[in-house]
Amino acid sequence: LKAQVGFPQAQPHSSDAPVNSCAPCCSRMSRVIIVGGSAAGASAAARLRRLSEETEITIFEKGGYVSFANCGLPYYLGGEIQLWSSLQVTSPDKLRSRFNLNVHTSTEVVSIDRAAKKVIVREVASGVEATHEYDDLVLTMGCDALMPPIPGIDRAGHFALRSLEDTGAIEAWMATKHPNRVVVCGGGFIGLEFAEQMKIKGIPEVHVVELAPQVMAPLDHEMAQYLHEELRAKGIKLHLSDGVAAFQEGADGKGPKAAASNIVLKSGVTLQADLVVLSMGIRPCTKLAKEAGLELAPTGHVKVDERMLTSDEHIYAAGDAVEVRNRSLGGDSMWAVALGGPANRQGRVCADQIAKTPS
């Protein structure tokens, strides 16, 4: 589908050294491996290079892109951001040429050997695995979209919106299916931005389904009412205090067959959808940290101290997958903030600590 709309294909990138080689031991050069190449990871790498010309810095990114504008994805699909290139803050080639970084995209870190200070990585396309050594490791894996076990949730025409790959898939679906009925499951930041953009784009029927009694959970209930009024005034239909019971085959005999699903709500209401965006929350990507034996918070996030250091003295973590102290509430209050600004700052703190520079 991507090829049909001329969508640019992400190509695997690697450094000059082949992925299947173990980094050489060197007593004078520190080796830092960063897992994840988005906000926190890219910020950590760039900051560390500015602090040290000698450090060998390697980024492994499971996806095909690094350092992209997550917040811009709905606005690209709605047409307010017109150029695909505007979503790409930088590229592996630019990171390599400007900062002398070893960047491997489409490469997943699958395990950590803490005792030996090594990671095993796997090329996504080929499945080829390799071992790399590190002196310090930075985990910035971020979050995945939450996918509750709802019958039919994995049907065609259902999409998360977390990555450039997701964006390309939605764009391709819209180009071929020409949806008139869009249903957004979840009333958080991304869900509401996407719903707004679909109305701006001219989609006749846009629904937002939210299990809670209001959209935007961080807002006080009274404040959320103004948002409800604005959304309804723009023609977006809200289904609050109602969840999805099932996603079913798109024909119900009452109108044109839905290209994606008939969505049966717990209230008994059925919505036809030509496109479904699943924005029902996020889950921290901490499988790698858990399997390595790092300490996790009760929420499942990676526990770090004020230096972004985990329970291993050579492993740092930053971004959406960590839990940090809530300085506003003070005391022992902890929270997880899945936003780009804090992720960038946390990445820089990791770099400062590795370089032994005051933050």
Side-chain angles (χ1 to χ4, degrees):
L1 288 174
K2 291 183 181 179
Q4 295 175 11
V5 295
F7 189 81
Q9 301 291 308
Q11 300 297 323
H13 288 265
S14 66
S15 65
D16 293 333
V19 169
N20 61 353
S21 66
C22 185
C25 294
C26 177
S27 60
R28 295 185 180 180
M29 179 181 291
S30 172
R31 296 158 299 182
V32 175
I33 289 178
I34 299 173
V35 184
S38 192
S43 293
R47 172 68 173 167
L48 185 56
R49 174 57 72 226
R50 292 186 178 100
L51 295 173
S52 171
E53 291 286 348
E54 294 76 27
T55 302
E56 179 184 304
I57 305 171
T58 302
I59 297 175
F60 291 108
E61 167 56 48
K62 180 180 178 181
Y65 303 89
V66 295
S67 195
F68 59 91
N70 305 64
C71 296
L73 304 183
Y75 298 96
Y76 172 80
L77 291 167
E80 285 198 38
I81 296 177
Q82 297 184 357
L83 297 177
W84 173 258
S85 59
S86 298
L87 297 175
Q88 295 179 272
V89 178
T90 188
S91 68
D93 289 336
K94 289 180 181 178
L95 289 176
R96 190 175 299 114
S97 61
R98 182 177 179 183
F99 296 105
N100 189 27
L101 305 178
N102 303 318
V103 183
H104 303 271
T105 56
S106 301
T107 306
E108 181 182 8
V109 176
V110 295
S111 67
I112 303 169
D113 184 337
R114 292 168 54 191
K117 297 174 70 174
K118 295 179 180 180
V119 297
I120 296 177
V121 305
R122 179 186 300 142
E123 291 182 340
V124 174
S126 67
V128 173
E129 293 189 350
T131 301
H132 289 256
E133 298 177 354
Y134 66 84
D135 294 301
D136 290 292
L137 181 65
V138 183
L139 304 179
T140 65
M141 294 86 65
C143 288
D144 282 332
L146 182 64
M147 295 293 173
I150 300 172
I153 195 170
D154 57 351
R155 289 176 51 81
H158 294 193
F159 303 92
L161 186 51
R162 297 283 301 164
S163 67
L164 290 178
E165 287 85 355
D166 294 336
T167 306
I170 294 173
E171 183 180 39
W173 180 270
M174 294 179 69
T176 56
K177 302 298 183 180
H178 307 290
N180 288 315
R181 298 161 296 185
V182 171
V183 176
V184 178
C185 299
F189 287 107
I190 293 293
L192 295 186
E193 289 167 356
F194 184 78
E196 176 204 37
Q197 287 299 303
M198 291 302 96
K199 287 304 291 187
I200 291 175
K201 195 174 181 68
I203 302 297
E205 193 173 320
V206 179
H207 298 261
V208 173
V209 178
E210 172 55 57
L211 183 61
Q214 67 174 69
V215 299
M216 288 297 291
L219 295 181
D220 288 342
H221 185 70
E222 293 80 5
M223 295 176 64
Q225 304 314 306
Y226 293 103
L227 189 51
H228 296 165
E229 293 176 6
E230 180 68 14
L231 290 166
R232 290 176 174 130
K234 299 298 184 183
I236 295 171
K237 300 178 181 180
L238 298 181
H239 304 265
L240 304 176
S241 301
D242 206 354
V244 177
F247 299 96
Q248 299 179 345
E249 178 67 30
D252 66 356
K254 299 179 181 179
K257 179 179 179 180
S261 291
N262 279 341
I263 304 176
V264 181
L265 304 185
K266 292 181 178 179
S267 64
V269 173
T270 298
L271 305 175
Q272 286 192 304
D274 302 315
L275 168 64
V276 178
V277 166
L278 303 168
S279 183
M280 294 180 281
I282 54 178
R283 178 177 55 193
C285 297
T286 54
K287 178 175 180 288
L288 184 64
K290 182 178 181 180
E291 291 179 349
L294 297 177
E295 187 176 357
L296 303 183
T299 58
H301 294 77
V302 180
K303 288 193 72 171
V304 295
D305 62 16
E306 65 277 4
R307 300 166 295 172
M308 308 310 298
L309 190 64
T310 69
S311 53
D312 186 301
E313 62 179 342
H314 297 290
I315 302 179
Y316 297 81
D320 296 355
V322 306
E323 183 182 81
V324 296
R325 190 173 305 281
N326 188 324
R327 294 183 179 275
S328 297
L329 296 179
D332 295 328
S333 300
M334 307 294 288
W335 66 343
V337 187
L339 293 172
N344 284 316
R345 291 194 293 273
Q346 291 167 8
R348 290 194 288 270
V349 171
C350 291
D352 289 346
Q353 295 303 310
I354 291 171
K356 296 178 173 53
T357 298
S359 293

